[in-house]
Amino acid sequence: MRRKPGQLLPLEVEILEVGLALQRQGLTHFHGYSLAKLLRERGGRRSLTAHGTLYRALHRLVSAGLMEASWEDHGIAERENRPRRRLYRLLGAAEPAVARARAAERARPKLGSLQPDLESP
Amino acid sequence: MIAPLQAASALSRAWVRLYTARLPETLRDARRAEIDADLWEHQHDRLGSRAAAGTIAAEIVMRTCLGVLDDLGWRLEVLRAARRDSNDGRIPMLRFTTRQTRWMGLAGLAGGLLWAIYLLSLMQRNRSDGVPSWGLVAPVVVAVLLLAGLMGFLASHRERLGPKGAIGVSLLIASMASFLLANTLLGALPAGTGRSLLGAVLAVGFAILPIPGFALIGLALKGPAGAGAFLVAVTGPLGMVLPFVLARLGIVDPQWLLPDSPVNLAYGIYFVLAASWLAVAGYSTYRRAQTPV
C-alpha cells in the first residue's frame, strides 16, 4: 500500500521521539548505531533494528526535512581511531510532525472497538 | 579481528557494495561509510560488554539479512529520486551524445531510403528472376540501420512521443529485431519443427508489430508525423491482412494477391510507406541533434 505524502511510519515516529528525548537531555546529535541501541531499549526489543530498516528510515526523515545529517569532523574520528560517524540532528519540523502522527494514531479506530460486544444481551 | 566477526562484517560490506552499485557516487559512498561506521560501533560496543564474538557475528548477520528488503526499497527510492531530479524521464540506456544521435538519425534516414528502394526494385522484378544475390544481405544491413535510427528517434523525441508513442517506437524496434533474428539466427539453426515455429513467430513479429506500433505513434504525435504514422498503420491491415481475408472469403481472386514479382504488391505498398516514414523519422532525428539545446 502506498502511503500518503507526509505520513510517518511507526519506526520513523519512534526515531523522532528518541531524538526529541535526547534533545531534552541536551544531546543534539546522534549516530545510527546509538539510535539503534536506544530504540531497542525503548521498545523493549531483544535485537537491534536491521541496517536497511534503520538507515532507510533515517534517509526518509532527512528527505522529508525533519532531520539533518552531517559527517563528523575527521580529527575526532582519527583521534579515537575509528571510522567517521554520520551524525543526525532533529529539525524544527520534527516535533509538530510527531504530534500530528500521534494525534492521527489516536483518531484511528482500534480493531477492538469495531468488534461487537459479545457480552451484552 | 576475531574470525567470525571478520566474516560477518565482510558479508555485510559485500551486501552493501552490491546494493549500492551504480548509484550516484555521493549516495553510494555515504551509505558504505555509514554501514562501516555502524559495524565498527556495534563490534566495539558489544565486545566492551563482554559479548561472545560468535553472538556479535550472529547479530550483524541478522541485522544485515533482516534489512535486505529495506535496502532494496531504499535503492529504488534513490534511483527514482535521481531520475526525477534529472527531470527528463529518459531511459538511462537511451542517453546518447548529440554526435551519436546525429549518426543514428543518418542511419535511420539511409535505412528507410534503402529499404524503400530495395522493395520497389523487388516489386518490379519478375518472380521467375528470383531474389538477386545482393537481396540476401541488403535486408540485414537495412534492419541494422533502421534499428539504430529507431533508437535515436526514441531517445531524441522522448518528450514528444510520451508513453504511448514510446511503446509504439518500441514495437517497431521489436519488429526490426524479429526481422534481424529471422535473417541471421534462423539460418544457423538445423531444419525442423523448432526452426519452423521460430520462423513463424519472427515473421508475425516483423509483419504485425508495426501496425499497433505506428497506430500508437500516430496517436502520440501531432501534425504530419502523426498523420503519416496513422496512414502506415491503416495501410498495414488494409494492404496486408484485408486482401487475404477477402481472398479467403472468395470475394477477390487470390491471384491478385500474388502478382508476378518476389514481393507481394499488397504488403509491398505497406512496407514502402513504412520505410518512407522511417526515413523521415531518421531525418527528423538528425535535424534535432543539429539544433543546439
Side-chain angles (χ1 to χ4, degrees), chain A residues 46-93:
Chain A
R46 285 187 63 199
S47 54
L48 293 163
T49 314
H51 295 143
T53 314
L54 177 69
Y55 292 106
R56 187 187 187 187
L58 285 168
H59 177 84
R60 274 189 181 153
L61 291 169
V62 170
S63 305
L66 302 175
M67 286 176 101
E68 189 183 61
S70 59
W71 285 100
E72 183 186 40
D73 186 62
H74 265 298
I76 301 171
E78 266 173 36
R79 260 197 313 278
E80 294 182 13
N81 199 23
R82 57 167 173 77
R84 259 198 322 164
R85 290 167 175 165
R86 191 158 201 222
L87 301 172
Y88 293 89
R89 185 177 78 89
L90 292 193
L91 293 179

Side-chain angles (χ1 to χ4, degrees), chain A residues 2-121:
Chain A
R2 195 175 280 266
R3 66 169 161 159
K4 291 176 201 153
Q7 192 185 346
L8 293 174
L9 296 176
L11 177 65
E12 292 163 359
V13 178
E14 259 190 278
I15 290 174
L16 293 178
E17 283 178 339
V18 167
L20 286 169
L22 287 172
Q23 223 172 36
R24 281 193 282 273
Q25 291 167 28
L27 289 166
T28 51
H29 291 79
F30 49 89
H31 58 89
Y33 179 73
S34 68
L35 184 66
K37 272 179 71 178
L38 289 167
L39 286 169
R40 183 182 58 182
E41 285 162 21
R42 193 186 134 97
R45 301 183 193 110
R46 285 187 63 199
S47 54
L48 293 163
T49 314
H51 295 143
T53 314
L54 177 69
Y55 292 106
R56 187 187 187 187
L58 285 168
H59 177 84
R60 274 189 181 153
L61 291 169
V62 170
S63 305
L66 302 175
M67 286 176 101
E68 189 183 61
S70 59
W71 285 100
E72 183 186 40
D73 186 62
H74 265 298
I76 301 171
E78 266 173 36
R79 260 197 313 278
E80 294 182 13
N81 199 23
R82 57 167 173 77
R84 259 198 322 164
R85 290 167 175 165
R86 191 158 201 222
L87 301 172
Y88 293 89
R89 185 177 78 89
L90 292 193
L91 293 179
E95 197 163 358
V98 172
R100 273 197 306 275
R102 287 297 179 212
E105 199 180 305
R106 278 193 296 274
R108 212 174 299 140
K110 298 269 184 302
L111 189 64
S113 67
L114 296 175
Q115 285 172 350
D117 187 1
L118 299 174
E119 296 296 315
S120 55

Side-chain angles (χ1 to χ4, degrees), chain B residues 175-253:
Chain B
S175 155
M176 279 300 139
S178 289
F179 181 77
L180 262 181
L181 281 175
N183 278 273
T184 51
L185 182 74
L186 277 187
L189 288 177
T193 326
R195 183 175 150 171
S196 313
L197 193 69
L198 184 63
V201 169
L202 293 175
V204 167
F206 167 61
I208 304 296
L209 287 181
I211 297 172
F214 277 113
L216 285 169
I217 297 169
L219 284 173
L221 294 180
K222 290 186 178 72
F230 253 134
L231 180 68
V232 181
V234 172
T235 322
L238 280 181
M240 198 168 70
V241 182
L242 196 64
F244 281 97
V245 175
L246 294 177
R248 193 109 184 127
L249 294 172
I251 298 168
V252 297
D253 183 358

